[in-house]
Structures are given as structure tokens and as C-alpha cells.
Amino acid sequence: MITITVFKHQDQYRGFRSSGHAGYAEEGSDIICAAVSALTVNAINSIDELTDDAADVRQDEGYLELRLEGTCSKESSLLLDSLVLGLESIQESYGKKYIKIATKEV
């Protein structure tokens, strides 16, 4: 199962952590892992390229984390809102057996 923890401060997302593997299909053929990877990596790359916001990014096998540092621009906020919308759509389509999304106040 992929576990997504979305970090939130008041009403604004401040980052996320993704860990684990969906187990939907064999490695290399798992469309849920591929979709989550595409969304999370794109969010990080978009924040890096399209905003001036500073972020701490950590990555390892089956693990990816982004935490915004300082204030969060409207652009980063929108990109994180979009990420969560996409992740929730995957969860709705494939179920909580493969992806779990939680929110953590920071």
C-alpha cells in the first residue's frame, strides 16, 4: 500500500510524504505506483521550476517527501491542491487497499 501524508498548516498544504508500493501489479507494471509517482514528482518539479518557494525534498526507494520552507506562495498552494485532488481521484478509482491518504497538522 502507498501511504500519503499531506502536511497542512491551518488551511494550507505545506508538503507531503509518500511511502510504500501499491501492490496492484508486478513491479514495472503497477499503474497506481506509476500514477502516484508522476503526480508527486511533477508537483516537486513544478514547485521548483515555477515558484520561488524553498523546499526540503528527500527521496529514497519507495519514499518521497517535500516540505515547504518559509511562506507558501499562491502558486505552490495551488500546485499542492492539484496534487491532493489527483491523489484522491486515484484513491476513489482504485480503493483504499492500494493508497491511503492522511492529513497531518504541522
Side-chain angles (χ1 to χ4, degrees), residues 12-101:
Q12 190 175 52
Y13 294 120
R14 302 289 301 158
F16 67 89
R17 177 187 312 124
S18 174
S19 62
H21 295 282
Y24 182 77
E26 292 181 29
E27 186 176 332
S29 299
D30 195 320
I31 60 173
I32 297 175
C33 280
V36 170
S37 292
L39 287 173
T40 55
V41 170
N42 186 66
I44 289 171
N45 290 340
S46 295
I47 289 169
D48 182 50
E49 292 291 323
L50 303 174
T51 77
D52 292 326
D53 294 351
D56 180 34
V57 178
R58 297 171 190 219
Q59 182 177 0
D60 202 351
E61 176 63 32
Y63 181 88
L64 184 60
E65 182 174 335
L66 168 111
R67 288 185 184 249
L68 292 173
E69 301 171 350
T71 58
C72 180
S73 68
K74 290 179 185 178
E75 294 83 5
S76 286
S77 183
L78 180 62
L79 290 165
L80 289 172
D81 286 346
S82 178
L83 169 67
V84 172
L85 181 65
L87 294 169
E88 289 174 342
S89 179
I90 293 168
Q91 185 182 51
E92 287 174 18
S93 295
Y94 293 95
K96 294 180 181 179
K97 176 179 177 183
Y98 301 106
I99 179 171
K100 177 184 173 188
I101 303 168

